[in-house]
Amino acid sequence: MRYAKRGPLRFTSHRDFARAFERALRRAGVPVAFSQGFTPHPKISYASAAPTGVASEAEYLEIGLREPVDPAQLREALDTALSPGLDVLDAVVATGSGLADRIQASHWRIELPEVDPEVLDKAVTAFLAADEVLVERMTKQGRRTFDARVAVTRIDMITSSATPSVAPAVPCAILELVVRQVTPSVRPDDVLSGFRVVAGLEPPVAPKVTRLAQGTLTAQGAIVDPLDADRDGATIGGR
């Protein structure tokens, strides 16, 4: 299944979404399968969830069911049961490998209010010219230093007549980037930290980050929706 986190609901943590999704399964009467043992859990597997505060049009999960369900009806029922802003966009039967094997890269859009596009362009040029850009981030294993440059396959500056900041007099630089899945993962905020390292760029206002897509990365640099391989019109059944 593919779902979106939009508007204020982008501040929903992954744990909060998981609880809301399980409640939606119960309200929608979905025949979800459960694990075995003393504390059974619904068979739900999440793939590469976006960080809290990041909007997304491309979040993915898998669920195991006890009996066949029509994908379109399942999508509609769950979308109705969830709050607006947590939107179920697509559902297909899983016929091949798991989602984790199909997600190789993510496509992100970053809006930087009060950052001059020319200043951002210089930072992007310096970042792309570097062989290595070391940044630090606190992880579950403690503070780690890693290369933010190695995972970035493409960065594009976006020109738009519309002003995302809704303040015509205020500049807003916009870029889109494609980042490969590596370990440790490189997130948009790591790339922004890299801009600070190579060009001293410090955005005065918190950026708005949106994940536009994630999936398999082609040789041409395009990202293929991981659900595409399963679009055969079949009903969703338990596995």
Side-chain angles (χ1 to χ4, degrees), residues 3 10 15 44 52 58 63 81 85 97 115 126 129 134 140 145 154 165-166 187 190 201 207:
Y3 66 95
R10 70 182 185 273
R15 182 174 296 180
I44 308 171
T52 303
I63 58 175
S97 59
V115 172
L134 297 179
K140 293 180 180 178
T145 300
R154 193 180 84 230
S165 62
V166 197
R187 308 183 311 200
D190 299 320
L201 177 59

Side-chain angles (χ1 to χ4, degrees), residues 205-222:
V205 176
K208 179 183 178 182
V209 181
T210 303
R211 173 147 58 190
L212 302 178
Q214 59 175 326
T216 304
L217 187 64
T218 69
Q220 293 74 34

Side-chain angles (χ1 to χ4, degrees), residues 81-114:
L82 285 166
S83 300
L86 298 177
D87 304 315
V88 181
L89 306 178
D90 201 358
V92 298
V93 62
T95 59
S97 59
L99 284 174
D101 297 328
R102 306 183 191 186
I103 295 180
Q104 301 172 348
S106 291
H107 181 187
W108 303 88
R109 181 183 179 94
I110 305 176
E111 299 174 6
L112 296 161
E114 299 186 27

Side-chain angles (χ1 to χ4, degrees), residues 56 98 128 131 183 208:
S56 179
L128 293 176
D131 295 326
T183 303
K208 179 183 178 182

Side-chain angles (χ1 to χ4, degrees), residues 59-144:
E59 300 298 286
Y60 292 89
L61 59 84
E62 296 175 283
I63 58 175
L65 302 178
R66 302 189 309 271
E67 60 189 57
V69 175
D70 178 80
Q73 293 179 0
L74 177 65
R75 186 212 66 77
E76 183 177 358
L78 288 174
D79 187 53
T80 301
L82 285 166
S83 300
L86 298 177
D87 304 315
V88 181
L89 306 178
D90 201 358
V92 298
V93 62
T95 59
S97 59
L99 284 174
D101 297 328
R102 306 183 191 186
I103 295 180
Q104 301 172 348
S106 291
H107 181 187
W108 303 88
R109 181 183 179 94
I110 305 176
E111 299 174 6
L112 296 161
E114 299 186 27
V115 172
D116 190 293
E118 292 185 3
V119 173
L120 179 60
D121 185 50
K122 292 178 181 178
V124 169
T125 299
F127 183 89
L128 293 176
D131 295 326
E132 182 181 69
V133 180
L134 297 179
V135 300
E136 288 188 347
R137 181 180 8 115
M138 184 63 70
T139 69
K140 293 180 180 178
Q141 291 74 37
R143 184 166 294 279
R144 296 192 61 178

